[in-house]
Amino acid sequence: MATIAYKCPEITVNIVDLNEARIAAWNSDALPIYEPGLKEVVDACRGRNLFFSTDVQAGIADADIIFASVNTPTKTQGVGAGRAADLKFIESVGRTIAQHANRSKIVIEKSTVPVKTAAALERVLTANELHSGTVGKRFYILSNPEFLAEGTAMADLDNPDRVLIGGQVEQAVQVLVDIYAHWVPRERILTTNLWSSELSKLVANAMLAQRVSSINSISRLCERTGADVSEVSRAIGTDSRIGRKFLNASIGFGGSCFQKDILNLVYICEQFGLDEVAQYWQKVVDMNEYQKKTFTGRIIHALFNTVSRKKIAVFGFAFKKDTGDVRETPALTVCDMLMQDGAMVHVYDPKVKREDAVTEFKYHGVEVDDKLFTFTSTPEEAVEGAHAIVILTEWDEFKTYKYDVFYSKMMKPAFLFDGRNLLDHVGLQKVGFEVHAIGKPKISSDSEPINRAGSFSMPDPTY
Ligand code: UDX
């Protein structure tokens, strides 16, 4: 919305939310989320044509176009628990709009929703329309899913690969096309029917996650055979039909979208009796779980099969760099498994707060033992006396550290597990570390560094 306000000075954007604390934060200098470039855009527009308020009623009454951007979490109970999207917020937005709308409105689904949600929204709107005596007014429903990724949100919005708008009434679709056309070339603004637009969002995320799971599955095979997953990635990525992006092997994907959307897709397929299709996509999520667990298994195995009472320095807790977001971060599984085994985990992350990590653990039913889970304000504190460094997020600053100094402060043998293939592994090995990376054979001072043929060893089958 801030980008729309910035690009379209003649449009007034009112952002309304029931949460007073959040709106107060949006009106302050400390914005409630961190995103590179966001603050500059908010500062340029706030008070000009961008306003934040808790007056939902006035927001609805004043608007010609309403973006419904509520969250659609996974249902935690009842039918479809753990997989189906919980649409209670969408439904209540529909009821609130119907209640306060004084004239015809365009209502845009911005949230990621299961296919056919627009039909449900339309029913709620029109049913309540009749009851509140507003007959004669119409609601035009559009679907406009968002494809930005966290950490690069402002750049993605500024220069999107495409904007997708789904709708049944051409004139309403054109209103939204004209807004985006302020800065997006028209050939990149795709219009479809409502259901194609809704489904495309789920499929885009499922396909991206599938690429990560595909390369992660191959990373396991690389570890067994002596192939190097980065070389395989490069080799296949230069095939223009495959492309280079989203082929970085990792400890697994995280974030608020991928897993949620795939599980939702799986659930929808099952609802339509398409069991094979459901199983196909379920495997993408299963592979991700496997990746997180086997990486942690490798840590425990290398540290002589126990991490009990050992200090482990974890670099990065966010689900990826340039964000403080910890939703579904793979760090949860890794840290939980380490602590289950008795490790003392000391996390350093430039943007994540300990309380946010603890809240995410709680959401997943894990009560953290305070004695085992510490956040440090510097990487030095985390590595002091540690047995291992574990890289879980690809923050750029992790590449700039003096690892020889870290090495001198650690227990020996000192291990480094690079869950993002971020660092110079041969250089670290020269410093003295035993290095374990994703999809690469182990390198340590008592083994040959990786050579073109790849050093080959049969790893323990338990990880
Ligand atoms: C994603 C989609 O990219 C975006 O279009 C959609 O609107 C929301 O969901 P986001 O969750 O912000 O965006 O992050 P993304 O950059 O897609 O990364 C998702 C996860 O995959 C991260 O944990 C990331 O580290 C991991 N990943 C990504 C890899 O492990 N390897 C890769 O090559 C790419």
Side-chain angles (χ1 to χ4, degrees):
M1 290 303 110
T3 294
I4 289 180
Y6 186 70
K7 301 285 187 182
C8 315
E10 79 284 9
I11 295 177
T12 300
V13 178
N14 287 314
I15 295 177
V16 293
D17 195 306
L18 294 171
N19 185 326
E20 288 181 14
R22 186 159 304 165
I23 288 297
W26 281 111
N27 278 320
S28 78
D29 270 344
L31 302 185
I33 57 170
Y34 170 71
E35 194 63 54
L38 172 63
K39 187 157 188 323
E40 289 77 357
V41 171
V42 170
D43 283 346
C45 305
R46 197 171 48 194
R48 183 188 79 180
N49 63 334
L50 176 66
F51 302 93
F52 298 90
S53 138
T54 50
D55 192 348
V56 176
Q57 187 171 340
I60 292 169
D62 288 348
D64 299 307
I65 305 171
I66 299 169
F67 286 84
S69 312
V70 291
N71 62 339
T72 49
T74 306
K75 276 182 84 169
T76 51
Q77 57 188 53
V79 180
R83 298 184 306 164
D86 190 338
L87 298 180
K88 66 177 177 227
F89 300 119
I90 289 274
E91 191 183 326
S92 80
V93 156
R95 290 181 197 281
T96 315
I97 292 174
Q99 199 184 347
H100 300 301
N102 46 356
R103 57 179 193 275
S104 295
K105 312 264 174 193
I106 294 176
V107 179
I108 300 171
E109 271 179 354
K110 198 65 178 154
S111 318
T112 301
V113 291
V115 188
K116 295 278 180 191
T117 302
L121 185 59
E122 185 153 40
R123 271 197 75 190
V124 172
L125 282 166
T126 44
N128 286 282
E129 194 181 58
L130 292 175
H131 291 128
S132 57
T134 53
V135 187
K137 286 150 201 140
R138 264 199 79 176
F139 295 109
Y140 301 91
I141 316 261
L142 302 180
S143 157
N144 174 216
E146 187 48 66
F147 294 103
L148 65 81
E150 288 180 41
T152 53
M154 301 312 280
D156 295 344
L157 285 165
D158 195 40
N159 185 23
D161 285 345
R162 73 339 202 158
V163 167
L164 183 57
I165 301 171
Q168 311 298 74
V169 179
E170 184 53 29
Q171 292 92 320
V173 170
Q174 275 311 313
V175 171
L176 191 55
V177 168
D178 290 342
I179 292 178
Y180 282 108
H182 279 72
W183 78 96
V184 180
R186 285 197 184 252
E187 63 276 14
R188 282 200 235 156
I189 306 176
L190 312 183
T191 58
T192 66
N193 78 33
L194 266 177
W195 326 122
S196 303
S197 170
E198 287 181 337
L199 185 58
S200 298
K201 169 71 189 193
L202 291 187
V203 174
N205 278 347
M207 291 269 197
L208 287 169
Q210 183 198 46
R211 278 173 74 92
V212 178
S213 271
S214 296
I215 198 69
N216 282 347
S217 75
I218 298 304
S219 76
R220 301 290 304 146
L221 185 59
C222 289
E223 285 162 22
R224 298 286 157 116
T225 57
D228 178 331
V229 76
S230 304
E231 294 185 343
V232 174
S233 246
R234 188 158 57 99
I236 62 167
T238 43
D239 184 327
S240 61
R241 293 165 304 174
I242 297 174
R244 284 175 18 230
K245 294 179 179 167
F246 267 72
L247 286 179
N248 291 326
S250 64
I251 27 160
F253 57 76
S256 61
C257 294
F258 279 6
Q259 177 166 315
K260 183 184 83 145
D261 290 353
I262 299 171
L263 291 177
N264 197 205
L265 188 63
V266 169
Y267 184 71
I268 293 169
C269 293
E270 281 175 9
Q271 296 297 295
F272 286 100
L274 303 171
D275 288 344
E276 283 75 8
V277 186
Q279 285 160 21
Y280 178 78
W281 288 105
Q282 177 66 45
K283 270 287 163 205
V284 174
V285 174
D286 294 350
M287 180 61 224
N288 201 45
E289 287 304 307
Y290 172 78
Q291 188 74 353
K292 292 185 275 188
K293 290 190 174 134
T294 50
F295 176 76
T296 321
R298 196 171 167 189
I299 299 174
I300 297 170
H301 174 74
L303 291 175
F304 314 108
N305 272 328
T306 178
V307 285
S308 178
R309 305 193 64 77
K310 288 180 182 163
K311 178 175 175 180
I312 311 286
V314 168
F315 284 2
F317 201 87
F319 83 98
K320 64 176 195 177
K321 72 173 180 178
D322 292 335
T323 177
D325 197 341
V326 296
R327 284 175 292 174
E328 304 297 338
T329 173
L332 284 179
T333 309
V334 176
C335 293
D336 184 36
M337 269 179 79
L338 291 174
M339 289 188 286
Q340 292 280 344
D341 214 77
M344 294 178 296
V345 172
H346 290 241
V347 180
Y348 171 72
D349 187 292
K351 288 284 172 205
V352 175
K353 296 188 206 72
R354 185 178 184 275
E355 61 262 34
D356 292 338
V358 171
T359 306
E360 186 66 12
F361 269 123
K362 277 211 183 93
Y363 177 75
H364 288 271
V366 176
E367 275 303 326
V368 176
D369 182 340
D370 282 342
K371 291 191 293 298
L372 298 183
F373 191 58
T374 309
F375 263 60
T376 64
S377 47
T378 61
E380 285 78 13
E381 285 170 68
V383 297
E384 182 78 53
H387 288 258
I389 296 175
V390 179
I391 312 270
L392 295 185
T393 311
E394 73 282 23
W395 285 101
D396 290 332
E397 67 170 74
F398 296 167
K399 288 187 271 191
T400 65
Y401 295 162
K402 291 195 166 32
Y403 284 89
D404 51 343
V405 179
F406 290 167
Y407 180 79
S408 67
K409 295 181 169 171
M410 292 173 65
M411 305 294 283
K412 306 293 168 346
F415 295 83
L416 191 142
F417 300 88
D418 188 350
R420 295 286 184 168
N421 287 349
L422 185 71
L423 304 178
D424 163 18
H425 301 142
V426 175
L428 288 165
Q429 176 257 314
K430 285 191 186 129
V431 165
F433 281 105
E434 176 174 310
V435 181
H436 294 253
I438 300 279
K440 293 166 193 271
K442 174 184 90 171
I443 341 177
S444 67
S445 42
D446 48 311
S447 71
E448 285 295 304
I450 287 187
N451 52 42
R452 300 299 314 166
S455 51
F456 177 79
S457 61
M458 276 316 267
D460 187 295
T462 56
Y463 70 85

